[in-house]
């Protein structure tokens, strides 16, 4: 707008506008003045409280994300996921893909990342996720993601009156075709606007003085290799309850600025837990913490490096047991639960795993079961 037209519009009585007096200048650089202003003004808050969710509500998440090769490769490289089918066209073609596709881990993380602004930006804890499935895979770079969530249930937290527990079913769809690419059910603790009275009160740990003797099998068997047949053979040797197929993976990944802050931000995850050190200094962790999907993807990367993955089928009973922060190292442990020759291709069999991510102090930080098709040696 030019100066002349500005003057005209200031005096334009037809539009009813009036010349406003210039606001009184305020010296914002005076520390007392600014501190007082910050106390007096309202904060435009982000996110929703527990009370804002009711069973059956459907939330369409505004942020969208184009699943790019850059996003996929950043995620996979930083979490040590090196399956060649996601990196090389010849390996992709052998798996029946047109080109290296978007990895299910990145798809899951991007689907969840987009939901945070509406579902969990207010804070709280990511308690768990189950029934993670990929009905529309393979998904290729360039796909635009649209995400929606339905409130499945809301519950009072007995132990933490300042929180409630909300479960949502989330679907990530192809924005163009509407095909569901990824879906899961997720549960979080969400801050209440008003705390409620509960009988929970002071913590949980001391009161459950249970017999904490480990009840481990006597023998642990390690498969000879990473093919389907190796898992079948190992399971055949453990057909009583005193033995199990379980082993740890050697690699570890120390959490840094990239894994803690950059990866979640690249999925549009606005949880302050991952990028606002100022706020998190006053939280139980005292620091920013790793996005749960980074923790689990890193552990899965370690596990996949010791197997011949063909295809991811799904994940269940995923839980996040304690915080992972910058400087912590994420390791992985795997138990093989079952192997069935019923995969979608003759080239592979289906294996069900239990994966544990643990830290440098050997504390489990994540656990979950995973069903994957594993390549056959004989294929
Ligand atoms: C994406 C994202 C955040 C986001 O989304 O924006 C993130 O990445 S963030 C980083 C990853 N995340 C974490 O870093 C959390 C690490 N973790 C912990 O720090 C502890 O685990 C805890 C503090 C959360 C809990 O600790 P804890 O209090 O000892 O745990 P529990 O007593 O077991 O659970 C308390 C109550 O949650 C109920 N409950 C538990 N699990 C489930 C479930 N799966 N479904 C339904 N209800 C459940 C339980 O039934 C109990 O209910 P009551 O309050 O009624 O007893």
């Amino acid at each position: 707008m030019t100066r002349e037209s500005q003057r005209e519009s200031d005096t334009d009585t037809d539009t009813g506008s009036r010349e406003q007096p210039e606001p009184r200048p305020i010296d914002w650089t005076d520390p007392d003045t600014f501190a007082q202003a910050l106390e007096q003004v309202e904060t435009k808050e982000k996110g929703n409280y527990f009370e804002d969710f009711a069973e059956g509500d459907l939330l369409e998440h505004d942020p969208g994300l184009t699943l790019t090769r850059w996003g996929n490769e950043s995620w996979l490289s930083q979490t040590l996921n090196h399956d060649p089918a996601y990196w090389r066209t010849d390996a992709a073609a052998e798996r029946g893909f047109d080109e290296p596709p978007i990895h299910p881990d990145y798809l899951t993380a991007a689907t969840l990342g987009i939901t945070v602004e509406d579902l969990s930006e207010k804070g709280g804890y990511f308690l768990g996720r189950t029934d993670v499935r990929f009905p529309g895979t393979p998904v290729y770079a360039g796909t635009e993601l649209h995400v929606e969530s339905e409130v499945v249930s809301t519950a009072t937290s007995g132990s933490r009156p300042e929180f409630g527990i909300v479960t949502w079913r989330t679907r990530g769809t192809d924005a163009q075709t509407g095909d569901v690419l990824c879906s899961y059910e997720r549960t979080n603790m969400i801050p209440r606007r008003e705390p409620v009275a509960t009988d929970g009160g002071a913590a949980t740990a001391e009161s459950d003085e249970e017999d904490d003797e480990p009840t481990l099998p006597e023998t642990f068997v390690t498969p000879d290799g990473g093919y389907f047949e190796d898992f079948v053979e190992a399971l055949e040797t453990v057909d009583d309850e005193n033995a199990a197929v379980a082993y740890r993976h050697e690699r570890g990944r120390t959490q840094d600025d990239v894994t803690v802050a950059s990866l979640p931000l690249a999925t549009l995850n606005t949880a302050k837990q991952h990028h606002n050190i100022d706020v998190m200094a006053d939280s139980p962790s005292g620091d920013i913490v790793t996005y749960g999907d980074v923790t689990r993807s890193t552990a899965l990367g370690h596990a996949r490096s010791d197997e011949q993955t063909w295809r991811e089928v799904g994940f269940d009973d995923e839980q996040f047991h304690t915080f992972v922060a910058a400087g912590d190292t994420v390791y992985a442990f795997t138990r093989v639960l079952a192997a069935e020759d019923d995969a979608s291709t003759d080239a592979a069999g289906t294996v069900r795993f239990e994966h544990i991510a643990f830290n440098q102090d050997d504390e489990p930080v994540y656990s979950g079961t995973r069903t994957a098709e594993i390549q056959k040696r004989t294929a």
Side-chain angles (χ1 to χ4, degrees):
M1 193 182 274
T2 63
R3 249 165 233 238
E4 281 72 19
S5 63
Q6 168 81 58
R7 234 173 266 130
E8 269 165 37
S9 77
D10 286 347
T11 52
D12 186 353
T13 45
D14 289 350
T15 60
S17 63
R18 280 207 200 105
E19 198 168 348
Q20 298 286 325
E22 190 62 24
R24 182 161 64 84
I26 299 173
D27 179 8
W28 298 116
T29 63
D30 175 69
D32 291 340
T33 305
F34 192 56
Q36 200 184 330
L38 285 181
E39 256 176 48
Q40 278 179 240
V41 300
E42 233 176 72
T43 298
K44 302 276 279 181
E45 285 194 46
K46 292 290 180 200
N48 287 310
Y49 285 101
F50 172 75
E51 290 86 345
D52 299 321
F53 298 105
E55 201 178 310
D57 284 356
L58 186 68
L59 295 103
E60 294 215 14
H61 306 294
D62 267 346
L65 187 77
T66 302
L67 295 161
T68 61
R69 187 168 272 213
W70 170 82
N72 198 43
E73 292 183 350
S74 309
W75 188 276
L76 295 182
S77 58
Q78 294 299 334
T79 56
L80 285 94
N81 275 284
H82 299 166
D83 182 341
Y86 295 88
W87 292 94
R88 282 195 349 244
T89 49
D90 62 322
E94 275 174 30
R95 208 71 69 76
F97 300 142
D98 299 343
E99 59 181 81
I102 297 297
H103 193 281
D105 282 12
Y106 175 56
L107 175 63
T108 307
T111 300
L112 197 153
I114 288 169
T115 69
V116 167
E117 180 173 350
D118 292 329
L119 305 188
S120 54
E121 182 165 348
K122 198 49 97 192
Y125 305 95
F126 180 12
L127 291 172
R129 187 173 53 193
T130 199
D131 199 21
V132 186
R133 295 293 181 274
F134 313 102
T137 49
V139 177
Y140 294 110
T143 303
E144 290 186 19
L145 196 57
H146 176 265
V147 183
E148 60 182 30
S149 300
E150 187 178 339
V151 180
V152 174
S153 63
T154 61
T156 297
S157 163
S159 59
R160 293 164 193 253
E162 67 279 27
F163 292 95
I165 297 172
V166 186
T167 299
W168 306 273
R169 171 152 287 278
T170 292
R171 279 177 293 270
T173 62
D174 179 325
Q176 252 88 51
T177 65
D179 292 345
V180 178
L181 309 177
C182 170
S183 67
Y184 59 77
E185 208 166 282
R186 160 180 168 223
T187 301
N188 275 50
M189 267 201 187
I190 301 295
R192 284 176 176 274
R193 203 173 268 118
E194 301 294 341
V196 290
T198 71
D199 55 8
T204 46
E206 280 95 337
S207 56
D208 331 321
E209 284 279 332
E210 279 168 28
D211 174 13
D212 57 2
E213 279 293 301
T215 51
L216 289 173
E218 279 163 27
T219 314
F220 287 106
V221 174
T222 312
D224 285 340
Y227 287 95
F228 176 66
E229 293 88 339
D230 298 311
F231 295 115
V232 173
E233 278 164 29
L235 284 168
E236 279 168 1
T237 65
V238 300
D239 49 10
D240 72 65
E241 62 182 24
N242 275 322
V245 181
Y247 44 97
R248 63 188 287 177
H249 306 277
E250 185 178 351
R251 286 182 182 154
R253 168 69 162 107
T254 303
Q255 298 303 291
D256 56 21
D257 287 350
V258 173
T259 53
V260 175
S262 301
L263 291 185
L265 285 170
T267 68
L268 312 189
N269 178 336
T270 53
K272 51 178 141 323
Q273 287 100 314
H274 312 310
H275 62 258
N276 188 335
I277 294 175
D278 180 40
V279 169
M280 292 302 287
D282 289 333
S283 74
S285 61
D287 201 350
I288 52 174
V289 299
T290 304
Y291 177 18
D293 266 324
V294 170
T295 303
R296 64 87 98 152
S297 204
T298 302
L300 295 175
H302 300 332
R304 292 177 184 126
S305 75
D306 290 324
E307 66 177 48
Q308 302 294 321
T309 323
W310 180 268
R311 188 175 77 93
E312 297 296 332
V313 177
F315 298 83
D316 289 285
D317 303 318
E318 299 195 285
Q319 278 185 279
F320 297 91
H321 304 284
T322 192
F323 297 112
V324 176
D328 286 342
T329 302
V330 176
Y331 292 99
F333 177 98
T334 293
R335 179 178 185 186
V336 183
L337 298 170
E340 293 287 337
D341 197 358
D342 64 355
S344 61
T345 165
D346 289 343
T350 307
V351 180
R352 204 152 60 80
F353 299 97
E354 188 175 10
H355 295 294
I356 314 290
F358 63 98
N359 64 20
Q360 65 284 355
D361 299 321
D362 297 345
E363 285 174 301
V365 296
Y366 158 87
S367 62
T369 61
R370 162 174 168 251
T371 306
E373 294 183 347
I374 305 295
Q375 207 173 321
K376 287 182 182 163
R377 179 177 278 114
T378 50

